[in-house]
Amino acid sequence: METDLICMGCGVPLQTEEEEKLGYIPKTKLSDPDRDLVCKRCFQLRHYNKQQPVSVDSDEFLNMVSKISQTDSLVVHLIDIFDVEGTLLKSLPRIVGKNPILLVGNKVDLLPKSTNQNKLKNWLLKMAKDAGIKVLDVYLISSQKGYHLNELAMRMETERKNKDIYVVGVTNVGKSTFINQFIKRSTGVKEAITTSYFPGTTLGFIHIPLDDKSALIDTPGIMNKNQMAHYVSKQDLKIITPKKEIKPRNYQLNSGQTLFIGGLVRFDFVKGDKQTFVCYFANELLVHRTKLEKADSLYEKQLGKLLTPPDEETLKTLPKLVKQSYRITDEYTDVVFPGLGWITILSGNVTIDVHSPKGIGISIRKSFNR
Ligand code: GDP
C-alpha cells in the first residue's frame, strides 16, 4: 500500500508492500506513536548505523541519479570485480556530468591472491575507457575484509576538495557494506545517526555528514537483470555466489569435449588444438567434464541431479539454454557468464559453443592475466 505519508529521513513516500524498495515501513510501525515516521532504510541507519540496500527500476534510477550532473561533487562508482560487465554503469558519464569519478572495484578478496593487482587495475581502466567512462583513478578494495579502504578514504578526502561525495552503484555490488565501513571509520559516526531529510535534496538520497558543509551521499541502486542471480532459488544463489577466494580450476581439453558448470551453463570445445581452459567459479560450484557427443543425453538425464544447481525450485523458472558459437583467435580470452564466473581460454584459435539460459548475455573479453 502506498501511503500519503513521507519519510522524515529521506523524504520518499512511505509504502508497506515491498521491503527492498524505497520508502518501505512495516505496517505495524505506521501506527506506532513512539516511532518517528521513517522508512526502514533510514531507521536502520539512525538506530543501528547500518546502511540498508534498496533498489529502483531503471527509469526511476536514471531520473534520480542524473541529478548528480547538476551538482559540483566527487563521484565514487562502485562495481563488483567479479561481475564487471554487469555492474559498470555505461550511462555514468550522462549521470555524473562533468564531475570527477573514482572507479572502485569491490570484492577483490574473491580473486586469487596471485592476481597481479597492477594488471588488474590497468585492465579495469581500459574497460572503463572502452565504455566511454573517464576516471581519475581505479581502486581495488574489499569492503568486507577492509582491504585498501584507508587508501581510498584518503584519496576521496583529497579529491573531494570539501565538496559532497556521491556513491553510485548497481544493486549487490556491496554499496551498503562499503558505506557501513565508511561510517564506522569516519568521524561522522554520531551525526550519521541523526541525519534527516533536508528539503531541496533529492528524495531517496541519504546524506551522511562529512563535516558541517558536506556529506557522503548514498544513492539507490539499480537491479542488474542480466544476471544469473535473478533466475535461481535462494539455495542455489548461495552455491553460485563466491564467498571466499576463488581457486581457479584448470581443464586440459581436446576438441570434442564439454564442460558443464553445474547444470546452469554448458561450454563445448568444438575445434582447435588441445589446451587449457581455466574455470573461475565459486569453489562450491561443480564443473563436469564430458564428451561433446554425450553432452545432450547427460543434460537430459542428469539436469537437477548430477548437474546441479539448478535445484528443483530453480528448475521451475530457469529459461531454456540457447546456443551461441564463437571463434576465438586471441590467447588469454575470457568467456563471461554474468554473475556466475568465467572461463579463460589460454592459447586461443578455437571454436566454441556456449549454451546459457535465455536472457543471460554472454560476453567475451581479454583476460586480466594477458
Ligand atoms: P548493495 O546492494 O550494493 O548495497 O550490496 P550489499 O552491501 O548488500 O552486498 C551485497 C552482497 O555482497 C552481500 O552478500 C555482501 O556480503 C557481499 N559483499 C559486499 N562487499 C563484499 C566484499 O568486499 N567481498 C565479498 N566477498 N563480498 C562482499
Side-chain angles (χ1 to χ4, degrees), residues 53 106-107 109-110 142-144 170-177:
N106 188 35
K107 308 196 189 178
D109 56 296
L110 295 178
S142 165
S143 299
Q144 211 170 56
V170 167
T171 311
N172 221 19
V173 296
K175 199 153 56 65
S176 306
T177 313

Side-chain angles (χ1 to χ4, degrees), residues 19-22 40-41 44 50-56 170-177 180 218-221:
E19 203 168 341
E20 340 53 65
K21 296 265 168 73
L22 281 178
K40 189 174 173 200
R41 180 171 171 229
Q44 292 276 334
K50 222 178 149 270
Q51 186 62 318
Q52 167 102 5
V54 290
S55 69
V56 292
V170 167
T171 311
N172 221 19
V173 296
K175 199 153 56 65
S176 306
T177 313
N180 287 333
D218 179 35
T219 64

Side-chain angles (χ1 to χ4, degrees), residues 322-356:
V322 286
K323 182 172 97 173
Q324 260 183 297
S325 298
Y326 298 92
R327 166 98 193 113
I328 309 277
T329 47
D330 292 339
E331 55 175 12
Y332 284 91
T333 300
D334 292 340
V335 178
V336 186
F337 307 94
L340 192 65
W342 61 90
I343 297 176
T344 305
I345 301 168
L346 286 196
S347 311
N349 277 326
V350 295
T351 303
I352 52 168
D353 285 346
V354 182
H355 309 244
S356 66

Side-chain angles (χ1 to χ4, degrees), residues 125-224:
L125 262 175
K126 170 103 180 20
M127 298 265 262
K129 200 171 160 213
D130 290 349
I133 304 171
K134 221 176 111 199
V135 301
L136 286 177
D137 208 348
V138 174
Y139 280 79
L140 301 169
I141 66 161
S142 165
S143 299
Q144 211 170 56
K145 305 260 192 249
Y147 301 160
H148 306 299
L149 284 178
N150 286 343
E151 287 107 296
L152 172 59
M154 274 177 356
R155 184 71 184 271
M156 282 160 63
E157 196 48 41
T158 46
E159 294 295 348
R160 80 181 181 93
K161 305 192 173 81
N162 300 320
K163 296 179 224 164
D164 291 336
I165 304 173
Y166 284 85
V167 185
V168 180
V170 167
T171 311
N172 221 19
V173 296
K175 199 153 56 65
S176 306
T177 313
F178 172 72
I179 289 178
N180 287 333
Q181 283 274 12
F182 194 89
I183 294 175
K184 241 202 272 173
R185 281 155 194 259
S186 77
T187 50
V189 179
K190 285 191 204 74
E191 288 89 331
I193 311 173
T194 56
T195 306
S196 67
Y197 170 64
F198 301 103
T201 54
T202 302
L203 305 186
F205 282 12
I206 288 197
H207 291 233
I208 297 149
L210 295 166
D211 54 40
D212 290 349
K213 292 204 187 67
S214 50
L216 179 84
I217 299 164
D218 179 35
T219 64
I222 181 179
M223 286 281 206
N224 163 22

Side-chain angles (χ1 to χ4, degrees), residues 15 84 112 128 146 151-153 163 205 225 233-234 251 364 368:
Q15 52 90 15
V84 177
E151 287 107 296
L152 172 59
K163 296 179 224 164
F205 282 12
K225 298 218 175 69
S233 65
K234 279 214 168 87
Y251 289 86
I364 306 290
F368 53 72

